[in-house]
Amino acid sequence: ECGIDRITSFDPSGYDCQLAAEVKNFDPAPAFPSPKEVRRTDRFAQFGVYAGWQALRDSGLDLEKVNRDEIGVFIGSGIGGLSTTEEQHKVLLAKGPSRVSPFMIPMLILNMASGLFSMYYKLRGPNVATCSACATSTHAIGEAWRSVKMGAAEVMFAGGAEATIVPLGISGFCSMRAMSTRNDEPKKSSRPFDITRDGFVMGEG
């Protein structure tokens, strides 16, 4: 089922591209130690931690019976906390530097998904956040495989997380003319191998 539709997280009326593949009704709370930790985390990192938590549950791995020094995490991101960057820049301009959140930097740096997941589950093996644009998640999986192959870890959690469906992200890609403008038929907008393709569609997760 295609998840591409008109953007709902903000009013996209003034944008050339008005569609995206948003994650809707997302509740990250089950993967976090407390609601306060969720509030102090950018949406991209919430996706990463939640995906890691799901992978842990699906794996059947009992962390109480393994050596956590041999379990690592490679969760990358192409951009990191873009929403936090955008929101805190507004605060800076409107209220001055003293009102910028002390959590801004920890929320926006792209290694926080990887770092938070390892801290929450006390995983002390290799921990890296790859950043290689659209290839980031694949790159993370490859580097995780290399870590296991070379004996640096026995188990690796690997993948990527992104949350760039915000005005700044959409406007930047629109300015590049990189995004589809098939706003009247969102379900048919992503067609990378079609001769009539007109750009990509932003997704998150």
Side-chain angles (χ1 to χ4, degrees):
E1 182 178 349
C2 181
I4 301 171
D5 214 330
R6 183 177 172 82
I7 294 170
T8 62
S9 55
F10 64 92
D11 181 6
S13 299
Y15 297 76
D16 292 337
C17 177
Q18 301 172 12
L19 44 86
E22 296 173 296
V23 176
K24 298 175 181 176
N25 305 313
F26 174 61
D27 179 15
F32 283 76
S34 71
K36 181 170 68 174
E37 290 293 318
V38 174
R39 292 193 299 271
R40 292 177 174 179
T41 308
D42 188 89
R43 184 172 171 86
F44 97 93
Q46 293 173 4
F47 286 142
V49 171
Y50 192 91
W53 172 72
Q54 282 189 315
L56 176 59
R57 295 175 69 203
D58 291 345
S59 72
L61 183 68
D62 186 347
L63 292 179
E64 300 304 319
K65 297 180 180 179
V66 295
N67 181 358
R68 300 191 199 202
D69 291 337
E70 297 180 344
I71 302 177
V73 185
F74 274 25
I75 302 177
S77 181
I79 295 181
L82 190 60
S83 175
T84 295
T85 302
E86 183 177 73
E87 290 171 4
Q88 292 303 309
H89 186 246
K90 291 177 183 176
V91 172
L92 173 64
L93 296 180
K95 301 179 180 180
S98 65
R99 299 298 297 276
V100 170
S101 171
F103 298 104
M104 183 188 75
I105 300 301
M107 288 175 70
L108 68 85
I109 54 178
L110 63 85
N111 68 330
M112 283 311 291
S114 195
L116 288 172
F117 183 70
S118 65
M119 288 190 290
Y120 292 158
Y121 296 96
K122 298 179 174 59
L123 308 178
R124 297 181 293 269
N127 190 289
V128 175
T130 53
C131 178
S132 45
C134 297
T136 293
S137 297
T138 304
H139 192 175
I141 293 169
E143 290 302 311
W145 167 81
R146 190 193 304 273
S147 295
V148 174
K149 180 183 180 183
M150 300 302 292
E154 289 292 320
V155 176
M156 294 295 297
F157 289 87
E162 210 74 77
T164 55
I165 304 174
V166 297
L168 186 62
I170 297 296
S171 61
F173 281 110
C174 282
S175 294
M176 293 171 62
R177 300 186 184 279
M179 302 187 71
S180 173
T181 56
R182 272 195 185 83
N183 299 313
D184 56 339
E185 47 180 359
K187 304 301 183 188
K188 298 180 180 180
S189 58
S190 181
R191 47 177 80 179
F193 305 109
D194 194 292
I195 196 170
T196 63
R197 65 189 180 276
D198 66 331
F200 72 89
V201 177
M202 188 83 77
E204 63 179 2

